[in-house]
Amino acid sequence: MTQRQRLKYSILMTLILLGAMLGLSWLQKQGVITEQLFQYLAMGLAVIFVVINGIMRRKVKP
């Protein structure tokens, strides 16, 4: 994976995470999920994306 590919995937992942967070926020406002569940899901998503980004960083070839 090149640095350019990693940048593209990072931007794509950021947009997906933003969409997921907006979706979770909307579900919370509608009363479908509680604030506690929202917090757990948000933290879980953040951890998953940090791990994926770390894996991608290791696959970058100089």
Side-chain angles (χ1 to χ4, degrees), residues 21-50:
M21 296 304 279
L22 289 173
L24 287 174
S25 178
W26 182 80
L27 286 174
Q28 182 190 4
K29 286 182 183 177
Q30 298 299 317
V32 177
I33 61 175
T34 63
E35 184 175 347
Q36 187 80 20
L37 181 58
F38 171 82
Q39 290 174 354
Y40 288 142
L41 290 172
M43 286 187 288
L45 283 173
V47 168
I48 289 168
F49 276 82
V50 166

